[in-house]
Amino acid sequence: MSSPSPTSNFPPIRACIFDMDGLLINSEDAYTDVTNTILRENNRPDLPWSIKAQLQGRPGPSAGKIFRDWAKLPISEEAFMKRQMELQRDMFRHCKPLPGVEVLLKRLSVSHTIVDAKNQAKSPGAGRKRIRLALATSSHGKNYDIKTAHMRPMFEVFPEKQKIVGDDQRIPKGRGKPLPDIYLLALQTINDQLRSEDGSEREITPEECLVFEDSVPGVESGRRAGMRVVWVPHPGLLDVYKDRVEEVLAGRTGEHDENDLSHQSSEPLPGSPGKPGEPNDGWAEILNTLEAFDYRKYGIDSEDQRYRTESGQQALAGTTDQELEEMTARADGKLHAPEEGTPKTETPVPIYKTGKVPAKV
């Protein structure tokens, strides 16, 4: 599988922006099951991955046109949409996180950008900036709510203002993925938040953002935004593109057509339509699962700061509760009063070695 070039040519990542369907949760399988149910009810063949690959990640209107042109269903679009909504309402309630997602989001929510080797050894907060997170999904708000209602704790890592859904009025009409507007908007919301804080952090640039995507149009969207990309395709999608992986990673599969008038219906965000990358340019990589994500490759320190000593050393297994409290207090510039001491019972501490992920974070 392809990997990025040595990271010395890239700045450390300061923000991670996530797609949702098929990347964080298994809703793409739900979409497929719903579609195939309707196709079978109308004596049509199941949806092949060669067509589904074109639908993934796109806004509803453009995906719908591609599907209708292929399916040629003997029912009206209105009847199809009604039946689709009936089936989706039930299936979306049973969506689950995909492998590695919960651990990745938890770790990133307490992660920091590595400034340099010297700063890695400093106590928490000494020049270390936390990783900013945002969600950028083509799912409309109502569907987002149905899919995530039973997984809300997992999605709480995304600040409300950094959750961008497909029908967000700030996305120019007709400019969904594979155009970059949704990712440019996500970065804009992050920088708006930075400006509202104490001003200690400069704004984040596109090359300091890492996009996580499962779809081919989504990869192109991230690349056109000038961001680095991690592509985590469904095995069925990868089978379709197994001989074109480098094209996908470069965003050069031709998902966006400059002559498509539907993309000219409103004013784009600054930076759109952007440009795709070049094959083997190191700006994107492919992973089979988010369980394999390498934090350090992207300049991300994912070790929980609660378990570091004042000098920045990782706490060892067997550290007591009182010692952990004292470590945290020193990192905050204060010490607990003696009467606040706690019994010296051992507390398990996550140990991060050789990229292995602990059972709990």
Side-chain angles (χ1 to χ4, degrees):
M1 294 297 179
S2 303
S3 298
S5 298
T7 55
S8 59
N9 296 326
F10 297 100
I13 290 300
R14 297 175 61 204
C16 294
I17 309 176
F18 289 83
D19 176 48
M20 183 179 72
D21 293 301
L23 177 85
L24 299 181
I25 60 177
N26 65 345
S27 47
E28 281 295 348
D29 290 333
Y31 277 114
T32 299
D33 291 343
V34 166
T35 301
N36 285 339
T37 296
I38 299 173
L39 288 168
R40 292 167 188 169
E41 289 173 350
N42 290 276
N43 299 311
R44 299 290 292 142
D46 284 356
L47 183 70
W49 264 102
S50 59
I51 299 299
K52 184 173 176 62
Q54 300 175 51
L55 310 180
Q56 280 187 299
R58 293 183 186 272
S62 58
K65 183 179 185 304
I66 293 170
F67 173 75
R68 289 192 299 275
D69 289 346
W70 170 81
K72 297 183 175 13
L73 286 168
I75 58 175
S76 67
E77 182 179 352
E78 181 181 2
F80 171 81
M81 295 295 290
K82 181 180 179 181
R83 181 61 173 147
Q84 183 185 54
M85 289 178 63
E86 291 172 354
L87 294 169
Q88 287 179 349
R89 271 196 299 269
D90 177 57
M91 298 202 72
F92 285 165
R93 291 188 176 94
H94 304 289
C95 290
K96 296 179 180 179
L98 286 165
V101 168
E102 292 175 285
V103 169
L104 176 65
L105 292 181
K106 285 180 181 178
R107 290 184 71 172
L108 285 176
S109 71
V110 295
S111 291
H112 295 74
T113 296
I114 298 172
V115 180
D116 54 42
K118 183 178 180 180
N119 275 334
Q120 289 184 49
K122 290 187 177 180
S123 60
R128 302 166 57 82
K129 306 302 182 184
R130 65 184 177 87
I131 298 295
R132 306 287 173 151
L133 302 179
L135 185 74
T137 174
S138 296
S139 274
H140 283 202
K142 288 183 179 179
N143 279 342
Y144 168 81
D145 290 339
I146 296 172
K147 294 171 187 173
T148 63
H150 57 294
M151 294 182 280
R152 282 183 181 159
M154 187 178 87
F155 284 89
E156 286 176 355
V157 300
F158 301 109
E160 284 302 316
K161 291 183 179 179
Q162 275 89 71
K163 292 178 183 176
I164 315 299
V165 294
D167 53 349
D168 191 307
Q169 295 302 304
R170 295 171 295 178
I171 302 173
K173 185 177 179 182
R175 300 196 68 84
K177 303 173 187 179
L179 287 167
D181 298 64
I182 191 170
Y183 284 119
L184 295 172
L185 175 60
L187 176 55
Q188 179 180 305
T189 65
I190 292 172
N191 282 329
D192 287 345
Q193 178 62 35
L194 286 179
R195 285 191 292 271
S196 73
E197 294 175 358
D198 59 13
S200 63
E201 287 191 61
R202 63 172 174 80
E203 292 189 8
I204 296 173
T205 61
E207 60 267 29
E208 293 174 311
C209 295
L210 184 61
V211 166
F212 291 80
E213 267 285 355
D214 71 304
S215 74
V216 174
V219 172
E220 181 172 342
S221 178
R223 291 306 312 267
R224 283 180 174 273
M227 300 174 182
R228 297 169 72 184
V229 178
V230 172
W231 182 38
V232 192
H234 188 287
L237 177 63
L238 182 57
D239 187 58
V240 173
Y241 283 95
K242 61 181 181 295
D243 298 322
R244 302 178 65 191
V245 169
E246 291 303 336
E247 280 184 75
V248 175
L249 295 179
R252 287 189 169 274
T253 53
E255 296 297 329
H256 169 58
D257 183 355
E258 296 287 350
N259 297 316
D260 188 343
L261 295 179
S262 69
H263 290 156
Q264 312 302 320
S265 59
S266 60
E267 188 69 22
L269 290 174
S272 184
K275 294 181 180 179
E278 296 293 336
N280 300 299
D281 61 9
W283 281 70
E285 73 167 327
I286 180 174
L287 296 179
N288 290 326
T289 169
L290 287 173
E291 296 168 298
F293 180 68
D294 185 344
Y295 300 81
R296 293 263 163 175
K297 180 187 294 184
Y298 293 96
I300 298 173
D301 183 355
S302 65
E303 293 175 349
D304 195 327
Q305 299 303 299
R306 293 172 299 173
Y307 303 118
R308 283 195 172 188
T309 63
E310 184 179 15
S311 64
Q313 298 299 311
Q314 187 75 0
L316 300 175
T319 303
T320 66
D321 287 341
Q322 183 175 0
E323 289 167 339
L324 284 175
E325 286 187 16
E326 290 174 353
M327 288 162 53
T328 304
R330 289 192 184 98
D332 292 338
K334 59 185 179 181
L335 281 174
H336 292 258
E339 60 269 19
E340 292 179 336
T342 53
K344 289 194 174 185
T345 55
E346 288 195 355
T347 298
V349 177
I351 301 299
Y352 300 94
K353 294 181 180 178
T354 64
K356 292 182 179 179
V357 181
K360 294 184 179 180
V361 179

